[in-house]
Amino acid sequence: MGEMERKKKKQNRTMLLRANLLFVVVFFLFSILVLRLGYVQMVQGKDYVEQIERTDDHIIYHPVPRGEIYDRNGHALVYNVPQKAITYTPPKNPQPIDILNTAEQLSEYIQMNQEDIENVPAWVKKEIWILKNHNGNEKITKEEEALIKKQELSEQDLYKKILERITEEEIETINGNVAAIYQNMRSAVALTPSIIKNEGVTDEEFASVSENLDNLPGISTTTDWQRDYTYGQVFQSVLGRMKEGLPPEKLDYYSAKGYALNDRYGASYLEELYEDVLSGSKIQEKVITDNRGKVVSSEIISEGEPGRDLILTIDINFQQEVEQIIQEELLRAIQFPRTETLDRMFVVAMDPRTGEILALAGKRYNRETKEFEEFSHGTFTQAFEAGSTVKGAMVLTGYQTGVLKPGEQKNDTPLILPGNTKSSFGGNALGVMDELKALERSSNVYMWLIALDVMEGRYVPGSLFSLNPEKVNTIRYYFSQFGLGTTTGIGFKEEIEGMKASPDPAQQAAFLDIAIGQFDTYTPLQLAQYVATIANDGYRVKPMLVKEIRSADLDKDGISTVIKEFQPTILNRVDMKQEWIERVQQGFWQVTHGSQGTARRYFSGEPYDVAGKTGTAQSYYVDNGRFEKGVETNHSSFVGYAPYDDPEIAISVIVPHAFYGSQPFSYTIGSHVAQRVFQAYFK
């Protein structure tokens, strides 16, 4: 018994020791836990609270009214039309399913335009189908599920497979109206208002959405604007157009200026060139969100500034008349035979003293639809052989290079070449004449002989010309002083310089044709600047389309403040004596008033005293129909200015591919159009 009691006591002591040890361990661990909790609460508690309460600041930009565009007399050309709009402002981290739910709710109140519905891509409808059908699980095979678990198939590749397996029938089950709304919503930028619908929003739609905003998260009703044109298509191509959605190639540029991805911007010509002026500065709103992306508060930190207005140099009434003249003369001309190649015409009118453009007109006629297309931008984006209109520049080049002296006589007789004869109009010899008579009668031979001297050439009847083809660039250099073959300074990136011909050096006679405008090509705007330079005593002035920039706000007298006024810019002064330019001016006057002037029948009896130069240039026309093998055609042109003693308007007229074969007109169309344009201006 004693032994058993001892063993029992020993076991009790062992158990007690173990219990005490366990208690110590538990107590130690509990103490560590308490200390850790205390540390977390007292030391790190503040950090956790800050994380829970953490907020982010965002600067949101809101558009302001865009500046408007007016003509020189204050007539509105481009203005903003207010219109009702439905917008969506997504949260910081929008979920596709939430966007779809809102789109479906919104579709009960608005009907998207048919064009928007038709333009929804198939992949957007497939995305909606996946969201509505348990993320497309039924399209996933068991093998693919296993591969996903083994991480041998990526979620992205699986998603592509699901998209490929959605059938056309399944796509057709998607509501087009919902899809159009969803597409606009999903492309919206977080925390930035984006347009869902702003064209054709009815009063009923606007009211229904406004009444149910509580059930439409992120949706708002507001007033938007749309560009409109007082004079319809008149001059519209140069006014430019707006686009919605930033272009990928300029994304960084516009984003740095606070543009949202789906913002509107000026995409061409004046709207693009003066985007920074017209767009104004956006309203800036500071938005604060919590760690879940929910908006906590917001405040306006900058009221922004509306876009500023442009005052153009264009006289819209004159522009309208010029465009009407072009349309009437095109319709008249195409009634003649051998005019199937004729479909367009261009007219430029500018003040030679200031460079202010008064009219910039172009029209293209569609013979199938019998409708005209506004084509004013063609005055600087298309170039043509200008014919004899450039002969004034050739005479001045002769003076400047020293190969021609004022009053110098030359014999206009056909130039006899092996297998070819080069002569003035009609193939006749015009006889001995000076440069003034050569301009009046439009002598080709006189101009060729000047060019031959500039090119260090020599003519022997019956033999090929011997000349230095590289010297054609000398003529081009002097022509460029007048604006021919170079940019005019109008500022549009679309402006072209024209094409510089490069014939076979062995065909040296071809190089001489630069003297008569049948070698290089020039734009109608270049031709207007060229004749304006002659009218302006050799001063080449930069063409100016914008006269002033004005604020959109009116003072107490209802007048807007002039922010900037553009002054005439002299690009260069042609290096020549005053006597030389006066002789060419006299030669141009004889063209319109001389007894043998090529434009005498149109201008000799007119009261506004025009000086100018006619032109006809051979060209080549190819199309896929009747003239698929090509046909030789003729451009008709005219450049001039008035009044002769104190010029206030200079114009160019180009009628490309006016006819083929022999002259079908009872009149020279380029000169006749110029006559009507001058009459319209001076009346």
Side-chain angles (χ1 to χ4, degrees):
M1 281 299 283
E3 184 64 29
M4 291 181 64
E5 289 180 0
R6 283 196 300 272
K7 287 182 179 180
K8 189 174 181 180
K9 288 181 179 180
K10 186 177 180 180
Q11 288 177 350
N12 290 339
R13 285 197 299 269
T14 302
M15 291 177 62
L16 181 60
L17 180 62
R18 289 177 179 176
N20 290 336
L21 181 61
L22 179 60
F23 175 78
V24 170
V25 171
V26 171
F27 178 78
F28 178 74
L29 292 175
F30 184 76
S31 298
I32 292 175
L33 180 59
V34 170
L35 290 173
R36 180 61 180 168
L37 289 173
Y39 174 79
V40 169
Q41 182 175 357
M42 292 183 289
V43 179
Q44 293 185 317
K46 184 177 181 181
D47 292 338
Y48 285 116
V49 170
E50 287 178 353
Q51 289 184 34
I52 294 173
E53 297 179 350
R54 186 186 64 199
T55 59
D56 292 322
D57 294 352
H58 308 272
I59 301 300
I60 307 301
Y61 297 90
H62 299 272
V64 293
R66 191 171 179 85
E68 300 182 338
I69 304 177
Y70 298 82
D71 85 333
R72 66 186 302 118
N73 299 312
H75 299 122
L77 306 181
V78 186
Y79 61 97
N80 301 321
V81 178
Q83 56 186 11
K84 302 178 183 69
I86 312 298
T87 66
Y88 172 59
T89 305
K92 189 175 179 181
N93 298 302
Q95 298 302 307
I97 188 63
D98 295 331
I99 295 175
L100 178 58
N101 290 336
T102 302
E104 289 180 326
Q105 289 177 289
L106 184 59
S107 69
E108 298 177 8
Y109 307 114
I110 67 172
Q111 178 65 38
M112 298 295 285
N113 299 319
Q114 189 61 34
E115 183 179 355
D116 294 326
I117 295 175
E118 293 173 355
N119 289 335
V120 176
W123 66 266
V124 172
K125 294 182 179 180
K126 289 182 178 182
E127 183 176 289
I128 295 174
W129 187 92
I130 291 173
L131 292 172
K132 292 175 68 68
N133 290 273
H134 310 291
N135 292 324
N137 289 338
E138 66 181 71
K139 300 290 184 181
I140 304 173
T141 66
K142 291 182 178 180
E143 290 78 8
E144 288 167 343
E145 288 179 353
L147 291 174
I148 284 290
K149 291 179 180 179
K150 296 178 182 179
Q151 297 185 344
E152 294 178 6
L153 178 65
S154 69
E155 295 285 353
Q156 184 177 4
D157 290 338
L158 179 62
Y159 188 77
K160 290 180 180 178
K161 290 178 180 294
I162 296 172
L163 288 176
E164 292 171 358
R165 293 165 184 168
I166 298 174
T167 66
E168 289 294 330
E169 291 76 13
E170 289 170 330
I171 291 176
E172 290 177 2
T173 64
I174 303 303
N175 184 289
N177 191 44
V178 172
I181 296 173
Y182 176 81
Q183 181 185 15
N184 286 351
M185 292 178 65
R186 75 180 304 280
S187 62
V189 179
L191 304 176
T192 302
S194 299
I195 298 294
I196 302 302
K197 181 180 180 182
N198 63 351
E199 292 184 12
V201 177
T202 66
D203 293 340
E204 183 180 355
E205 288 177 328
F206 195 80
S208 297
V209 174
S210 299
E211 292 170 359
N212 291 276
L213 293 178
D214 290 342
N215 302 319
L216 298 167
I219 300 298
S220 296
T221 52
T222 185
T223 300
D224 190 37
W225 54 267
Q226 188 72 31
R227 291 301 239 187
D228 206 350
Y229 304 87
T230 308
Y231 297 88
Q233 293 292 315
V234 176
F235 194 56
Q236 190 178 122
S237 66
V238 178
L239 291 172
R241 69 185 189 280
M242 302 288 296
K243 277 190 175 181
E244 187 170 328
L246 301 184
E249 66 275 11
K250 287 189 174 182
L251 190 59
D252 292 340
Y253 171 79
Y254 283 116
S255 296
K257 292 177 172 288
Y259 285 69
L261 289 176
N262 58 350
D263 266 354
R264 284 167 293 191
Y265 65 98
S268 65
Y269 302 108
L270 285 172
E271 291 276 19
E272 179 182 21
L273 188 61
Y274 289 91
E275 170 66 18
D276 289 344
V277 173
L278 292 166
S279 63
S281 58
K282 292 189 171 185
I283 299 169
Q284 295 184 36
E285 181 184 11
K286 181 179 179 181
V287 175
I288 301 175
T289 59
D290 60 20
N291 65 329
R292 296 182 179 179
K294 184 178 180 181
V295 175
V296 176
S297 64
S298 65
E299 63 174 324
I300 299 298
I301 59 176
S302 173
E303 295 291 342
E305 186 176 351
R308 291 170 176 174
D309 298 334
L310 299 182
I311 310 299
L312 304 187
T313 61
I314 291 288
D315 182 322
I316 195 61
N317 291 324
F318 182 48
Q319 174 80 22
Q320 278 184 301
E321 289 196 62
V322 172
E323 291 191 17
Q324 184 64 30
I325 290 169
I326 290 175
Q327 291 187 182
E328 292 172 358
E329 292 303 324
L330 276 174
L331 289 176
R332 178 182 179 185
I334 63 176
Q335 303 303 316
F336 288 91
R338 299 184 298 281
T339 61
E340 292 90 338
T341 56
L342 172 62
D343 71 346
R344 68 197 65 187
M345 188 185 301
F346 303 98
V347 174
V348 178
M350 62 188 293
D351 186 329
R353 302 160 298 185
T354 65
E356 294 182 5
I357 294 178
L358 307 174
L360 198 66
K363 289 286 185 179
R364 182 162 50 193
Y365 183 65
N366 187 318
R367 291 171 181 262
E368 293 183 1
T369 64
K370 301 187 183 305
E371 294 180 348
F372 285 97
E373 174 190 346
E374 206 286 316
F375 201 27
S376 295
H377 62 284
T379 53
F380 51 84
T381 62
Q382 296 212 327
F384 311 94
E385 296 90 345
S388 297
T389 56
V390 306
K391 288 178 177 176
M394 192 65 241
V395 169
L396 287 164
T397 297
Y399 293 152
Q400 291 173 285
T401 56
V403 303
L404 180 69
K405 293 179 173 55
E408 185 174 333
Q409 302 278 316
K410 295 181 184 294
N411 186 18
D412 182 316
T413 187
L415 303 178
I416 309 300
L417 304 174
N420 184 24
T421 299
K422 294 175 73 68
S423 62
S424 296
F425 182 74
N428 300 318
L430 301 183
V432 177
M433 63 184 68
D434 64 10
E435 76 276 28
L436 300 188
K437 203 67 175 178
L439 289 172
E440 178 183 343
R441 302 190 66 185
S442 201
S443 166
N444 287 345
V445 173
Y446 197 104
M447 302 303 156
W448 284 325
L449 294 176
I450 298 174
L452 190 64
D453 288 339
V454 174
M455 296 176 157
E456 301 171 345
R458 182 169 177 267
Y459 166 63
V460 175
S463 302
L464 292 173
F465 284 115
S466 172
L467 53 79
N468 182 359
E470 294 297 321
K471 288 293 182 177
V472 73
N473 291 321
T474 299
I475 297 175
R476 285 171 173 156
Y477 165 74
Y478 287 105
F479 275 26
S480 70
Q481 293 187 23
F482 298 91
L484 296 174
T486 187
T487 53
T488 63
I490 195 171
F492 295 122
K493 69 180 189 300
E494 296 87 353
E495 182 184 17
I496 64 172
E497 294 184 357
M499 184 181 71
K500 293 177 172 58
S502 54
D504 184 347
Q507 299 176 336
Q508 294 192 340
F511 287 89
L512 297 182
D513 285 340
I514 192 172
I516 62 169
Q518 295 190 176
F519 193 66
D520 292 350
T521 63
Y522 312 109
T523 67
L525 182 59
Q526 287 175 344
L527 289 169
Q529 188 180 55
Y530 147 67
V531 75
T533 303
I534 291 176
N536 200 35
D537 292 335
Y539 289 94
R540 183 165 77 104
V541 185
K542 176 181 175 180
M544 186 163 57
L545 261 178
V546 178
K547 192 178 180 69
E548 295 173 346
I549 296 174
R550 288 178 172 264
S551 69
D553 300 325
L554 305 180
D555 61 21
K556 62 181 181 180
D557 297 319
I559 300 174
S560 57
T561 303
V562 176
I563 304 299
K564 182 176 182 179
E565 184 175 2
F566 293 91
Q567 300 298 326
T569 301
I570 304 297
L571 297 176
N572 62 273
R573 169 69 159 90
V574 180
D575 184 18
M576 60 186 174
K577 297 179 181 179
Q578 182 64 24
E579 172 196 359
W580 296 347
I581 192 72
E582 288 177 355
R583 284 192 68 81
V584 171
Q585 290 169 348
Q586 176 63 32
F588 277 18
W589 187 88
Q590 290 180 199
V591 169
T592 55
H593 294 81
S595 60
Q596 296 176 301
T598 55
R600 183 178 183 277
R601 68 178 284 194
Y602 299 102
F603 298 109
S604 63
E606 297 290 329
Y608 39 82
D609 201 15
V610 171
K613 185 70 191 77
T614 57
T616 302
Q618 282 71 53
S619 188
Y620 206 71
Y621 180 90
V622 179
D623 68 11
N624 295 324
R626 178 175 178 182
F627 302 107
E628 59 184 11
K629 294 183 178 179
V631 62
E632 290 187 355
T633 62
N634 296 271
H635 304 326
S636 180
S637 57
F638 181 88
V639 298
Y641 58 90
Y644 172 70
D645 291 330
D646 186 18
E648 60 184 75
I649 180 175
I651 75 168
S652 70
V653 178
I654 286 280
V655 188
H657 307 294
F659 62 93
Y660 61 93
S662 59
Q663 170 64 276
F665 301 118
S666 60
Y667 63 96
T668 304
I669 187 171
S671 297
H672 178 65
V673 169
Q675 179 191 41
R676 291 193 62 187
V677 171
F678 278 121
Q679 289 172 345
Y681 176 81
F682 283 104
K683 76 178 183 180

